[in-house]
Amino acid sequence: MKKIYFDNAATTRVKDKVVESMLPYFTEIYGNPSSVHGIGRDAKRALDTQRAAIAEMLGAKPREIFFTASGSEADNWAIKGVAGANAKKGKHIITSSIEHHAVLHTCKFLEGRGYEVTYLPVDSYGKVSVKDLEDAIRKDTILITIMHANNEIGTIQPIAEIGEIAKSKKIPFHTDAVQTVGTIPVNVNDLNVDMLSLSGHKIHAPKGIGVLYARSGRVGDNLLHGGAQESNKRAGTENIPYIVGLSTAMQMALENMELNTTRTKAMRDDIISFVMKNIDYVRLNGHPVDRLPGNVNISFEFVEGESLLLMLDMKGICASSGSACTSGSLDPSHVLLATGLTHEIAHGSVRFSLSDENTNEEVKYLKEVLPGILKTLRNISPLYNERKVR
Amino acid sequence: MYSDKVMDHFSNPRNVGAMENPDGVGQVGNAKCGDIMKIYLKIEDEVIVDVKFQTFGCAAAIASSSMATELIKGKTVDEALQVTNKAVAEALEGLPPAKVHCSLLAEEAIHAAIMDYRMKGDGSVENIKSCSGCCNACGMNEVETEHDEVG
């Protein structure tokens, strides 16, 4: 059976061109950039070139780009680094209640180390209020970290506006842009951010490569200690092939962004409007307009997400869910609950995340099979049979 | 993740649906936890002659309900009370550790339906376990695992 991959917010297929660009750096230019000899110098040259290219794509300077092994590492480093370096100044951090766990659990960790964290609420669309954020700022606030767009519901936050406030109060501002770099325009100056995390595998580069951008190269404390790599800030031999792959993937994403956005948005809106029109008892999660071009997140009442995912999988369609049964915990997604969804409705949520590699034929197939799957599961469900007709 | 048997009973559940004038109905679990099971019994001379179920929940919950109905169909009420969650899980060729509570819910649903039947009849409720009504009963809270991040 042909597989249809609608889970691009989880990870993406590495593009053939990206793989091609990486290959010479495994077998030919395999040197350690710290070595003095020719093969090492060739690797160093590649590292410098790609760092400059990535910096330029983000509106940054090369010395502001630090390579990491993942988006999670970049988030951890940004938060722990600033917290550690500013402990004497203050111990208050502001974040939102719908951050990725790489941010949330890092904040929780710091709470255990004597830091205070404000978790800003979001509205029913998953948006942070700029006013709430302004009100939460204290004299001892040392960091604001708010994600650019949410991985589950796709809501895009008013980052530039928040950055404006952070700048005026001189508080370092970090954003987790793992879902946005390569998908929507990201320029560190337009967004007024001091730090930004990104990840390769969400944009058709391999897993295991990320970047922390830090304005003027200020990253606070090291997360990894050891060699002098990354201006003495992040130890570990640089992963040249993956850095090359990330750079290629970013270039491809940027070159095709307008076309990709138009195509992906059209498929996204096609799925959303089809479901709204043809399936009853559904709810669109996330913001109707300020949303990632490839994000569809819908709650189907009276059914449970894991069942829905498995039925879709039997038809060859890959998606994901915010239900508890797929999370390994008893609670459904913290993001959906933060938008005010009840547990019941959050259990029946499904995310379809599209990329430029999806096609209209795939969307058409989804529209063909989805109503039947819902009908089957709702026939089994006592809740659908006992529903109060609205 | 799931055995072939679970996938079979999930994709082709046996005895699905509601029942007109059942002799006993039991419902356990709640929507907040993400699992609800409802079992309907038709009983003649203490023998379960027909059984139906409706379930809101994951694949393991649906498969457990389906298997439970198969295991008690044609049995006497007393025999049905002997069907344990372990028997349900074994008949399904095993369940992942995080899903064992689904089989417990099936056992509880059988007991709840028989309780309803007995309360309408002679009122004898020995050997019938009552359910607390929430999946907390199975102790899942204590083994809550780390959130496996998707995206």
Side-chain angles (χ1 to χ4, degrees):
Chain A
M1 188 177 9
K2 193 183 167 269
K3 290 277 180 210
I4 296 179
Y5 191 73
F6 285 150
D7 203 13
N8 289 283
T11 194
T12 55
R13 192 184 78 86
V14 180
K15 284 198 188 285
D16 301 342
K17 265 194 186 166
V18 171
V19 176
E20 262 170 54
S21 74
M22 293 168 64
L23 290 177
Y25 295 91
F26 288 108
T27 52
E28 290 157 43
I29 312 162
Y30 54 81
N32 186 324
S34 303
S35 299
V36 171
H37 51 65
I39 297 180
R41 287 198 307 271
D42 287 348
K44 176 74 164 64
R45 201 168 302 123
L47 177 64
D48 291 344
T49 309
Q50 302 309 340
R51 192 191 307 280
I54 289 169
E56 200 189 329
M57 288 187 267
L58 295 171
K61 298 179 191 80
R63 67 186 174 96
E64 298 175 321
I65 300 298
F66 299 90
F67 292 109
T68 65
S70 64
S72 289
E73 185 196 325
D75 284 340
N76 267 264
W77 185 10
I79 298 167
K80 288 175 186 165
V82 169
N86 292 282
K88 281 188 185 136
K89 234 195 240 168
K91 289 195 159 187
H92 180 237
I93 296 167
I94 300 172
T95 187
S96 85
S97 49
I98 63 162
E99 296 298 309
H100 190 276
H101 283 127
V103 168
L104 278 186
H105 288 177
T106 303
C107 288
K108 287 271 176 236
F109 167 83
L110 287 173
E111 280 184 300
R113 294 283 191 283
Y115 289 81
E116 257 186 89
V117 182
T118 300
Y119 301 92
L120 296 173
V122 292
D123 65 15
S124 60
Y125 298 126
K127 268 221 188 197
V128 167
S129 139
V130 177
K131 167 116 194 354
D132 283 354
L133 181 126
E134 213 169 355
D135 292 346
I137 293 174
R138 310 190 321 208
K139 274 206 172 109
D140 60 342
T141 305
I142 49 164
L143 176 68
I144 299 171
T145 173
I146 305 284
M147 73 199 319
H148 193 188
N150 184 268
N151 48 311
E152 292 186 35
I153 57 175
T155 301
I156 300 168
Q157 303 294 349
I159 293 302
E161 249 182 286
I162 294 169
E164 198 69 50
I165 292 165
K167 209 193 274 180
S168 73
K169 305 268 184 187
K170 295 193 170 61
I171 301 167
F173 177 38
H174 166 255
T175 191
D176 173 344
V178 164
Q179 292 289 334
T180 53
V181 169
T183 308
I184 60 173
V186 173
N187 178 298
V188 293
N189 299 313
D190 294 347
L191 289 177
N192 296 316
V193 295
D194 300 303
M195 285 185 289
L196 177 145
S197 305
L198 70 91
S199 171
H201 76 107
K202 309 289 189 185
I203 52 167
H204 306 282
K207 294 148 194 72
I209 184 71
V211 164
L212 177 63
Y213 154 82
R215 196 171 289 279
S216 314
R218 281 205 292 268
V219 283
D221 288 351
N222 282 26
L223 190 64
L224 296 185
H225 302 268
Q229 293 89 355
E230 302 296 283
S231 324
N232 262 318
K233 295 291 188 184
R234 198 268 186 191
T237 300
E238 300 87 343
N239 191 348
I240 307 295
Y242 281 50
I243 289 167
V244 172
L246 171 66
S247 181
T248 311
M250 281 178 71
Q251 267 162 35
M252 289 175 75
L254 246 61
E255 277 163 19
N256 304 307
M257 189 174 281
E258 229 179 278
L259 180 68
N260 287 349
T261 303
T262 312
R263 279 195 61 241
T264 323
K265 253 189 188 169
M267 290 189 280
R268 173 196 77 182
D269 295 343
D270 189 10
I271 297 173
I272 292 174
S273 63
F274 172 83
V275 170
M276 294 298 151
K277 262 184 222 143
N278 296 285
I279 301 176
D280 56 359
Y281 302 98
V282 293
R283 179 194 195 275
L284 175 69
N285 297 313
H287 200 280
V289 181
D290 296 334
R291 104 183 269 132
L292 289 171
N295 177 286
V296 177
N297 188 314
I298 293 173
S299 287
F300 298 92
E301 287 187 56
F302 317 117
V303 301
E304 196 280 326
E306 190 219 61
S307 294
L308 197 41
L309 289 190
L310 283 170
M311 290 240 167
L312 285 165
D313 187 48
M314 285 182 213
K315 300 277 186 193
I317 299 171
C318 310
S320 56
S321 167
S323 94
C325 279
T326 55
S327 72
S329 87
L330 275 182
D331 284 322
S333 140
H334 67 286
V335 176
L336 295 174
L337 295 181
T339 63
L341 248 62
T342 60
H343 279 65
E344 288 90 320
I345 294 176
H347 281 303
S349 74
V350 171
R351 178 187 71 187
F352 302 98
S353 44
L354 317 175
S355 86
D356 63 293
E357 299 205 336
N358 291 118
T359 64
N360 286 320
E361 284 69 43
E362 292 174 336
V363 170
K364 187 168 165 260
Y365 177 70
L366 172 69
K367 294 193 294 186
E368 276 164 24
V369 301
L370 189 59
I373 291 174
L374 258 298
K375 200 170 168 228
T376 305
L377 285 173
R378 282 176 170 176
N379 271 338
I380 303 176
S381 171
L383 300 174
Y384 187 65
N385 292 286
E386 287 158 14
R387 74 193 184 278
K388 293 184 184 73
V389 178
R390 279 171 227 158
Chain B
M1 162 190 182
Y2 286 129
S3 69
D4 291 348
K5 203 86 179 169
V6 171
M7 289 312 288
D8 173 31
H9 275 260
F10 166 61
S11 43
N12 298 296
R14 285 46 151 189
N15 310 309
V16 175
M19 188 187 278
E20 299 271 307
N21 306 316
D23 296 305
V25 185
Q27 181 170 317
V28 294
N30 68 47
K32 192 169 180 260
C33 302
D35 288 308
I36 295 181
M37 266 182 215
K38 192 169 184 177
I39 286 188
Y40 304 79
L41 301 175
K42 178 68 84 190
I43 297 169
E44 280 169 21
D45 299 328
E46 284 289 290
V47 174
I48 297 169
V49 292
D50 196 13
V51 49
K52 292 263 185 242
F53 84 88
Q54 289 176 317
T55 290
F56 161 78
C58 62
I62 290 171
S64 293
S65 332
S66 169
M67 182 54 84
T69 59
E70 288 280 275
L71 290 178
I72 62 168
K73 205 173 186 175
K75 291 221 163 76
T76 66
V77 171
D78 283 336
E79 283 167 347
L81 287 173
Q82 304 305 313
V83 173
T84 61
N85 77 303
K86 214 170 151 238
V88 174
E90 272 168 16
L92 287 170
E93 291 164 1
L95 286 170
K99 303 287 184 178
V100 171
H101 73 287
C102 294
S103 61
L104 193 71
L105 216 55
E107 180 189 326
E108 288 175 346
I110 296 169
H111 281 248
I114 293 175
M115 172 86 94
D116 179 53
Y117 162 71
R118 285 275 162 81
M119 292 305 280
K120 286 179 191 164
D122 63 8
S124 65
V125 292
E126 300 96 72
N127 302 325
I128 303 179
K129 291 179 196 165
S130 61
C131 169
S132 71
C134 183
C135 46
N136 285 350
C138 65
M140 274 298 290
N141 278 349
E142 283 126 58
V143 289
E144 190 171 338
T145 46
E146 264 305 287
H147 205 88
D148 192 14
E149 191 61 41
V150 182

